Each structure stands twice: as C-alpha cells, then as structure tokens.
C-alpha cells in the first residue's frame, strides 16, 4: 500500500552547506521541506520510492538504478555531503514485472550498462535534496528505489504509478513515494529560461489540482501549457498520483515560492479512503475515442492502417480494396504519422512522389513509419490497437521568402547544397516562423550561419 506521497522541490541551494546566505530567500521552502519530511517519516514506510527528472532520463522509457547500494553526494555543487542507501531489489523486480505486464517501457540499469553507455551510476540531486531533509527528520535505514522519469505519455506515467502501488500490495509493503520536481522555470526573465506568462498559470493549476484531489485534471493538462511553463516536476507528480489511484487523498500544500524565477512547491498527499479507479475510466475513454475515430477515418488513413496492421501481423501488404481505387489515380508526396496515447510513435514521408501512385506512396510510408523511424523501436503487434493515424498529402513546393511563411498554413523545406530538411505545417508547439525554421534547419543539419533556400508547401491532412 501507499502510506504517503510527497511533491518535493530539489534546488541544491536549500541545503544549508550549499545555499549559505541564499537560504534567506527560500525560507518558506526550507520550512515546508522540514514539515513534509516529518509527516513522511511519521507515516513509517517500509521502503521509499524516489521519482526524479534528473537521473538517466530517456525519451521512450523509465529507468531505475539496480545496484545493491545506492550512493550520491553534492560534489557537483561544491560539497562532499553525501549519503548511501540500500536498494530495494525485491520491490524493483516486482515493479519491473508489473511494468512489462502493463505495457510500460521500464528498464533497470546495472553497473555494466551504466559504464558502457556513460550513464550516471549515482543518486542525483533530485533525490539527494529531499533525502537530506528526510534523514534530518529521522528517516530510519529503510531501503529506497531511484527511478528516473521518461518522456512517456501522461496516461503511461499514471499507469506506472499504479504499477508501483500494485507492486507494494503484492509485497505486502507500506511505501512512501517522493515525486521530485520543480515547477515552472519561467516565472521571471532572470530565471533559467525567458519569462512566459504560462509559468505562473501552470504553477497555480497544479496547486489547485492537488487541493481538489483531481488527478484526472493533471493527466489532461494541455501539453502546450506544460511546455510553455518549462517545468520539470510534471512526470514525477503524475506517477505519484498514479500510485494513489483508487484512493481519495488528503493534500497539504506546505510551501510555494519562486524567488529566482523557478517555482518551488512542497506538498504532501495522504490516502484516506477508497474510490473507483480513475485508470479504468481513462483507459475506457481512450478505447472509445480510438473506436470513434476509426469509424470515421478517411480513405487515406484507413489504407495506412490496413497496410501497417497487415504487414506487422502477417508479414505482407494488404491488397487495396476496390472502394479505394481513387488512390491509384493520384501521385503526391505523403507523410504517415502514428501516435500512441497522444505521443508521436512514428512519422515517415516523402517530399515528392517516390512511388507509382498515391496508394503505394501511403503504403510504403506507413510501413516505414511503423518499422523504420530511427527515433523509435518498431511497432509491436500488441500496440496496433492503440495507434492513431494521420496522413498528410503534400502539394507542390514553391520557392518563397521568410515573410511568406505561416507555420499554421504552410510546411517548410530548407536546403543548402545536398542538405535538406522538411517540417509539416500546423504542428502542436510550433507557433512562429522562427520556431518552424529552427527545427527544419536542425533536421537538415544546416548551421544557423549557413546560407539556405526556403520553399513552402500546403498539405491536406487526413484523419
């Protein structure tokens, strides 16, 4: 069972030997951390699970350190202060098994793996900062887990929290979960990033969500708001709330401040009573949404889905149905995009016609999007029912100037010699010409100082 969950900020400057005189500027956070630590220690956990955004973070999976002894110190911040804790290997094995059954990408990192891939084998400051306050509050020598978040979808992160809860139940252990993370990094211009008004909005919404006990609202928080805020605590907090799935929890905000342009929020969550699982409701909603979209999907999308499903399940291409013969009458470049749980799962396309007709263009790119996008592992058969497709059919490209671009209406192609990069129009999070060009140049491998040519094109997007 989960006896307590906490949201902890992690600036090393709240450690007295590091912060020194700066502690005066974060008095509320220091006080909040001490109060949170006392409550967590009073909950008498058998093990402590840390969720950190500053460990070995990967785009497509969560990870955990798997050595018997977990060590770390603040040497990178000018102090030899450190600690050592036993790893709860039995609980880690249970979580790994549960994640596999739930279809969540989760890996454990051995000393050999860490060494071969030049990864961090030690506890990072996202764990060390809250652990310092917990030890100061009298935390006994219980084992811990050091789990790093990954860039998974909100639903997958929440599901992983449920996996942690179920692992605790299977082991008969009482756990405390610490979600390490700061809030917005864009509260002021003098902060780590430029100021953005959504920074304060994000921080306020998180506090409101915790006070209301509305985990579903955090899952459904707009990605654009989170990105604009420049936060680092969302994933950790979402996993922690997942560990409380099936419980009504009492929340307490111990402190919040943002003296240096970064929001520091310290909160404690204590489960009080049972309630129906939110996860079951969310999974049901997702399946209903996918079924609705498939009942209404366009001809290009239905063809892309048929092709990929046939190729992965049977190792061959489906035959084009007679009602889709219209695709044989066209030639055009096309992109096929796959999403899973709202996150990109693959995208491959052609700038100009590369196949005999549009049917073959879509078919080839659908298979490539599912099996050959270098950013992702090939799609597995058990993922097919969770995929959402879109197909972009490209119009002819035309030379243009920067002032002729509009990232919502036109895609862009940049080229310099043999280097060429393309970005589709109307992408979430790409709201300015500058952003559109920057991403396209990066994809092409064109440095900012190089001369390059610009073309624009329109697309027709099918769902």
């Amino acid at each position: 069972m989960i006896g307590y969950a906490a949201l902890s900020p992690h600036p090393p400057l709240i450690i007295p030997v590091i912060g020194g005189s700066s502690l005066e500027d974060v008095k509320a956070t220091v006080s909040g951390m001490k109060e949170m630590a006392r409550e967590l220690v009073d909950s008498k956990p058998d093990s402590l699970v840390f969720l950190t955004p500053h460990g070995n973070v990967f785009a497509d999976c969560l990870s955990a350190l798997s050595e018997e002894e977990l060590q770390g110190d603040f040497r990178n911040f000018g102090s030899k202060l450190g600690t050592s804790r036993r790893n709860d290997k039995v609980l880690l094995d249970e979580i790994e098994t549960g994640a596999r059954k739930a279809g969540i990408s989760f890996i454990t990192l051995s000393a050999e793996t860490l060494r071969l891939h030049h990864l961090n084998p030690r506890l990072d400051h996202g764990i060390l900062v809250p652990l310092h306050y917990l030890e100061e509050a009298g935390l006994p020598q219980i084992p811990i887990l050091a789990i790093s978040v990954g860039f998974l979808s909100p639903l997958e992160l929440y599901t992983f929290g449920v996996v942690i809860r179920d692992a605790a139940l299977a082991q008969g252990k009482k756990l405390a979960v610490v979600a390490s993370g700061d809030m917005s990094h864009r509260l002021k211009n003098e902060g780590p990033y430029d100021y953005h008004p959504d920074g304060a909005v994000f921080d306020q919404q998180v506090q409101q969500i915790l006070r209301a006990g509305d985990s579903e609202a955090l899952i459904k928080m707009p990605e654009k708001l989170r990105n604009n805020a420049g936060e680092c605590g969302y994933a950790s907090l979402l996993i922690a709330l997942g560990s409380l799935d099936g419980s009504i929890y009492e929340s307490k905000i111990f402190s919040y401040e943002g003296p240096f342009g970064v929001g520091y929020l310290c909160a404690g969550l204590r489960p009080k009573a049972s309630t129906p699982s939110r996860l079951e409701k969310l999974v049901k909603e997702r399946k209903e949404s996918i079924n609705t979209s498939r009942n209404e999907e366009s001809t290009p999308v239905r063809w892309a889905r048929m092709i990929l499903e046939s190729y992965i399940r049977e190792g061959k291409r489906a035959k084009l149905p007679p009602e889709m013969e219209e695709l044989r009458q066209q030639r055009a470049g096309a992109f096929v995009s796959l999403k899973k749980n709202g996150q990109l799962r693959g995208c491959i396309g052609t700038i100009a016609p590369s196949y005999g007709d549009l049917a073959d263009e879509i078919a080839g790119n659908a298979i490539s999007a599912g099996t050959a996008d270098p950013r992702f592992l090939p799609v597995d058969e058990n993922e097919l029912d969770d995929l959402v497709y879109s197909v972009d059919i490209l119009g002819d490209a035309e030379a243009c100037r920067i002032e002729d671009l509009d990232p919502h209406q036109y895609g862009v192609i940049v080229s310099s010699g043999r280097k060429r990069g393309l970005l589709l129009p109307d992408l979430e999070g790409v709201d300015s010409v500058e952003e559109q060009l920057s991403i396209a140049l990066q994809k092409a491998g064109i440095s900012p100082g190089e001369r390059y040519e610009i073309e624009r094109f329109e697309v027709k997007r099918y769902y």
Side-chain angles (χ1 to χ4, degrees), residues 2 10 41 72 86 102 121 123 135 146 183 201-202 209 231 294 297 312-313 330 332 350 385 425 431 437 440 449 455:
I2 307 298
H10 53 229
V41 171
R86 181 167 53 90
L123 299 175
E135 291 181 337
M183 295 291 98
V201 174
F202 173 83
I209 286 168
E231 51 75 33
R294 291 190 174 181
E297 64 191 0
I312 290 178
R313 286 179 172 142
Q330 306 174 57
T350 43
D385 290 342
D431 297 314
L437 282 173
E455 297 172 277

Side-chain angles (χ1 to χ4, degrees), residues 82-321:
T83 191
S84 177
R85 286 272 165 169
R86 181 167 53 90
N87 199 351
D88 194 334
K89 298 272 287 179
V90 176
L91 180 62
L92 182 58
D93 289 344
E94 191 77 46
I95 290 173
E96 186 175 19
T97 299
R100 192 180 306 116
K101 289 179 179 177
I104 303 298
S105 297
F106 175 70
I107 60 172
T108 56
L109 302 171
S110 66
E112 180 67 9
T113 299
L114 292 162
R115 184 185 64 80
L116 284 174
H117 298 282
H118 307 288
L119 301 173
N120 181 18
R122 300 175 66 78
L123 299 175
D124 63 89
H125 71 274
I127 294 174
L128 291 171
V129 171
L131 184 53
H132 169 83
Y133 278 90
L134 291 167
E135 291 181 337
E136 188 181 66
L139 184 74
Q141 281 297 319
I142 59 174
I144 69 171
L145 288 183
I147 297 177
S148 295
V149 304
F151 294 106
L152 305 186
S153 71
L155 186 57
E156 288 173 308
L157 293 169
Y158 188 84
T159 301
F160 184 71
V162 175
V163 168
I164 292 173
R165 180 205 67 190
D166 290 347
L169 290 170
Q171 292 287 320
K173 290 181 176 178
K174 184 180 182 183
L175 300 187
V177 177
V178 177
S180 178
D182 295 330
M183 295 291 98
S184 172
H185 289 58
R186 306 184 75 173
L187 300 178
K188 299 179 180 180
N189 274 326
E190 58 267 31
Y193 306 107
D194 291 339
Y195 167 80
H196 196 289
D198 279 350
V201 174
F202 173 83
D203 287 10
Q204 290 164 8
Q205 286 194 14
V206 170
Q207 292 177 70
Q208 291 168 2
I209 286 168
L210 293 180
R211 288 192 178 99
D214 188 2
S215 302
E216 192 172 333
L218 191 72
I219 296 172
K220 296 179 178 179
M221 180 178 279
E223 183 179 4
K224 185 174 181 180
L225 172 62
R226 304 190 326 253
N227 291 339
N228 287 346
E231 51 75 33
C232 77
Y234 177 81
S236 299
L237 179 57
L238 201 47
I239 296 171
L241 292 183
S243 75
L244 297 173
D245 185 72
S247 297
I248 297 171
Y249 55 84
E250 175 185 80
S251 61
K252 186 183 293 186
I253 305 294
F254 296 114
S255 62
Y256 172 76
E257 60 185 347
F260 308 116
V262 179
Y264 303 142
L265 175 60
C266 185
L269 310 172
R270 194 189 301 273
K272 304 299 288 186
S274 296
T275 189
S277 169
R278 290 184 178 88
L279 180 60
E280 293 176 6
K281 174 178 178 288
L282 291 164
V283 170
K284 182 180 179 182
E285 286 179 355
R286 184 192 65 185
K287 288 181 178 178
E288 289 174 349
S289 175
I290 291 174
N291 288 337
T292 298
S293 68
R294 291 190 174 181
N295 289 334
E296 300 172 352
E297 64 191 0
S298 62
T299 295
V301 165
R302 182 174 288 112
W303 175 232
R305 180 169 63 81
M306 286 176 60
I307 278 288
L308 185 59
E309 290 179 349
S310 173
Y311 186 82
I312 290 178
R313 286 179 172 142
E314 303 170 25
K316 61 183 182 181
R317 296 187 179 207
K319 292 184 178 180
L320 186 73

Side-chain angles (χ1 to χ4, degrees), residues 27-44:
K27 287 190 295 186
T29 300
V30 171
S31 176
M33 290 289 285
K34 289 180 176 180
E35 192 174 355
M36 177 275 289
R38 284 193 296 269
E39 282 205 359
L40 188 150
V41 171
D42 287 346
S43 73
K44 295 181 169 55

